[in-house]
Amino acid sequence: MNLQERLAAGDVRALARLLTYAENDYPEAEEVIKNLYGRTGRAYVIGITGPPGAGKSTLTDKLAKALRARDNTVGIIAVDPTSPFTGGAILGDRIRMQELFTDPGVFIRSMGTRGHLGGLSKATQAAVRLMDIFGKDYIFIETVGVGQSEVDIVKTADSVVMVMVPGLGDDIQAIKAGIMEIGDIFAINKADLDGADRTKIEIEMMLDLNENKAWRPPVCKVVAVENSGMDILLGHIQEHRTFLSESGELVKRRARNIRNELMDLVRDRVMEFITRETGKKLTVDDLVQRIVAKDMDIYSAAQYIMEAINK
Amino acid sequence: MDKPIRVLVAKPGLDGHDRGAKVIARAFRDAGMEVIYTGLRQTPEQIVETAIQEDVEVVAMSILSGAHNHLFPIVVNMLRERGADDVLVVGGGVIPDDDIPVLKEAGVAEIFTPGTPTTKAIEFIKQNVKRK
């Protein structure tokens, strides 16, 4: 059997190998996704995001267990940062998910960002599709620990859970633009710490100021290490899912995400094309050298590249 | 840039000392590898399942408790049973010289004992890994 047939038949090693191909930009992964595209779109994709140390991995572990107890299969994509200096990475999200390793209904894949900004890796979407084709009911995407503007998850997930912890900042932090705007559900983790109620009130206030009231994100307190509050959180995720389906937002949201992904894909291919085609006369590096030496200005160089595309 | 080598750094057995494993994980990272680190007290089943799902090219195990003769060959055999016989398995920790030939016979590619410079382990992996 080839990889595609093995994936369709539920072979774990085939899924693992295709994920590697997707990460390494090898054409095999793209071929398989193309051929089995009709099987995508069945899994429900949950994004887990929040600042470093908020407890994203632990929370993902507990939510996955709760879903397994309801007989759902689960895929987890856990993203950690790649060093911009060496290209290496320590992928440590599995440390909090040990009991899931040997559960045949769970597949966990750790990924480095490999230079991609925005909190995910470039291959995340392909990885979601492969797990979806494989037949997972739910797919979690755990982002890198985010700061204030890594919002790629909202372009990839159906529901985004924003994991917060008490004591990270005042109410002005909560009304800044950026990651606070992308949560569909807010989970205040480590809610046994001082300040949890205050954090909850600040987030509630911020949410009440939002114009769009069709879905008002719920805010719940959880203590992931003690497995406390998981049923409530999972309930909120299901409510959001129901809201998306019944309001027609799910279709719109997925269409918007596909549009974004399509544009990113085209942008990447155009960049590859430029690097390849421009190189026939002046390479991009040549152009850069000329601009640095003031033999050319940056706008003329851009024009030069555009002309190379138009030919 | 070359595609990074993916390595699982694992601690089988019951000893609670992972300083060495963390030092080696950090050295691998600085050598441009993607290191999956899973924490202490891993069973062979957990290590093998992780190696397969993560599709790693290398499994590097560290053990200080003396159970290496028992646990290293189990992991090698389980990887083979799952068809992952192309994975390079290396070991480290407090391992007596007399045990090393036995472990190599069992399919562990190399053993790195205390005092080995991290660069030596990195070189060994780079030269012996089977790239996908």
Side-chain angles (χ1 to χ4, degrees):
Chain A
M1 279 207 287
N2 63 26
L3 272 178
Q4 180 175 319
E5 288 158 355
R6 285 168 57 202
L7 178 77
D11 179 342
V12 170
R13 289 198 63 223
L15 173 59
R17 186 57 49 90
L18 282 165
L19 290 170
T20 302
Y21 289 161
E23 279 203 281
N24 288 353
D25 255 337
Y26 296 163
E28 289 93 334
E30 195 176 305
E31 273 308 307
V32 169
I33 295 174
K34 268 187 205 170
N35 295 338
L36 299 176
Y37 204 77
R39 291 174 56 143
T40 63
R42 291 187 290 193
Y44 196 74
V45 185
I46 302 168
I48 307 286
T49 192
K56 296 181 291 298
S57 303
T58 309
L59 197 77
T60 304
D61 174 66
K62 299 297 188 278
L63 286 174
K65 276 182 195 146
L67 285 167
R68 289 294 295 140
R70 292 160 169 79
D71 267 340
N72 294 119
T73 56
V74 174
I76 299 172
I77 299 163
V79 188
D80 264 333
T82 295
S83 161
F85 304 108
T86 66
I90 301 269
L91 310 177
D93 292 320
R94 272 181 175 265
I95 295 173
R96 319 280 171 220
M97 304 178 185
Q98 309 236 357
E99 286 164 42
L100 299 176
F101 293 1
T102 49
D103 179 343
V106 179
F107 186 104
I108 308 172
R109 184 61 173 241
S110 313
M111 289 185 162
T113 51
R114 298 198 184 177
H116 193 80
L117 302 174
L120 299 177
S121 80
K122 204 177 102 190
T124 305
Q125 276 137 331
V128 168
R129 296 231 158 83
L130 288 167
M131 287 188 179
D132 193 355
I133 291 167
F134 184 80
K136 293 299 183 194
D137 300 321
Y138 285 86
I139 299 168
F140 287 95
I141 306 170
E142 186 195 330
T143 72
V144 303
V146 298
Q148 294 178 318
S149 59
E150 293 91 338
V151 297
D152 270 6
I153 188 64
V154 76
K155 301 183 205 162
T156 314
D158 296 320
S159 294
V160 176
V161 177
M162 176 66 62
V163 187
M164 304 296 290
V165 279
L168 277 187
D170 60 14
D171 47 351
I172 295 299
Q173 297 299 338
I175 57 171
K176 283 185 184 172
I179 60 162
M180 292 299 285
E181 291 173 281
I182 64 168
D184 298 305
I185 296 120
F186 285 77
I188 299 166
N189 192 25
K190 311 186 192 185
D192 49 346
L193 295 179
D194 279 349
D197 288 320
R198 190 191 156 128
T199 301
K200 184 166 188 289
I201 290 167
E202 283 167 1
I203 293 170
E204 301 269 15
M205 281 173 62
M206 172 205 67
L207 293 170
D208 284 334
L209 292 172
N210 288 354
E211 297 287 327
N212 175 14
K213 297 281 188 197
W215 172 259
R216 158 62 157 82
V219 185
C220 61
K221 295 196 290 181
V222 300
V223 185
V225 284
E226 288 170 12
N227 206 13
S228 143
M230 289 306 124
D231 284 337
I232 295 169
L233 178 54
L234 205 55
H236 286 323
I237 293 171
Q238 300 295 8
E239 284 157 26
H240 186 240
R241 182 178 189 170
T242 307
F243 161 77
L244 289 177
S245 317
E246 288 177 356
S247 62
E249 279 296 317
L250 187 62
V251 177
K252 279 191 215 161
R253 191 166 178 148
R254 286 185 171 181
R256 184 198 68 197
N257 290 351
I258 282 173
R259 184 192 170 86
N260 278 325
E261 191 186 343
L262 181 63
M263 290 298 123
D264 285 344
L265 204 58
V266 170
R267 195 173 299 122
D268 281 348
R269 303 230 158 137
V270 169
M271 289 311 290
E272 274 168 34
F273 179 82
I274 289 168
T275 318
R276 200 172 59 238
E277 292 301 307
T278 314
K280 286 177 182 164
K281 282 183 193 162
L282 284 176
T283 67
V284 174
D285 285 338
D286 291 335
L287 291 169
V288 170
Q289 285 308 319
R290 291 193 176 200
I291 299 165
V292 171
K294 300 275 195 294
D295 289 336
M296 198 178 202
D297 67 273
I298 199 161
Y299 303 105
S300 305
Q303 187 60 36
Y304 178 91
I305 291 172
M306 287 312 295
E307 281 163 15
I309 297 174
N310 283 330
K311 268 172 203 161
Chain B
M1 206 189 297
D2 285 345
K3 305 304 177 192
I5 297 172
R6 284 171 69 86
V7 187
L8 171 62
V9 172
K11 279 285 302 168
L14 297 176
D15 72 272
H17 306 279
D18 62 350
R19 172 76 68 86
K22 283 174 179 160
V23 168
I24 204 79
R26 171 66 199 267
F28 288 169
R29 186 203 84 172
D30 290 344
M33 301 179 193
E34 279 185 358
V35 183
I36 291 109
Y37 186 68
T38 50
L40 291 166
R41 300 187 191 93
Q42 298 281 297
T43 64
E45 287 80 6
Q46 285 176 313
I47 292 170
V48 170
E49 210 47 58
T50 299
I52 286 180
Q53 292 181 11
E54 299 286 356
D55 199 26
V56 293
E57 296 148 302
V58 184
V59 173
M61 289 181 283
S62 158
I63 198 162
L64 301 170
S65 65
H68 47 269
N69 285 339
H70 178 62
L71 291 170
F72 285 0
I74 292 181
V75 171
V76 172
N77 289 334
M78 285 177 68
L79 282 169
R80 284 179 184 157
E81 279 163 22
R82 296 291 301 274
D85 46 2
D86 52 346
V87 176
L88 182 73
V89 179
V90 296
V94 188
I95 293 167
D97 288 345
D98 290 350
D99 291 350
I100 293 176
V102 184
L103 291 171
K104 285 191 175 173
E105 185 66 26
V108 181
E110 191 55 274
I111 298 288
F112 303 99
T113 49
T116 310
T118 53
T119 47
K120 203 180 150 199
I122 290 162
E123 266 320 298
F124 182 85
I125 286 174
K126 285 187 174 167
Q127 279 165 15
N128 290 282
V129 68
K130 292 188 191 72
R131 297 315 308 271
K132 295 189 168 109

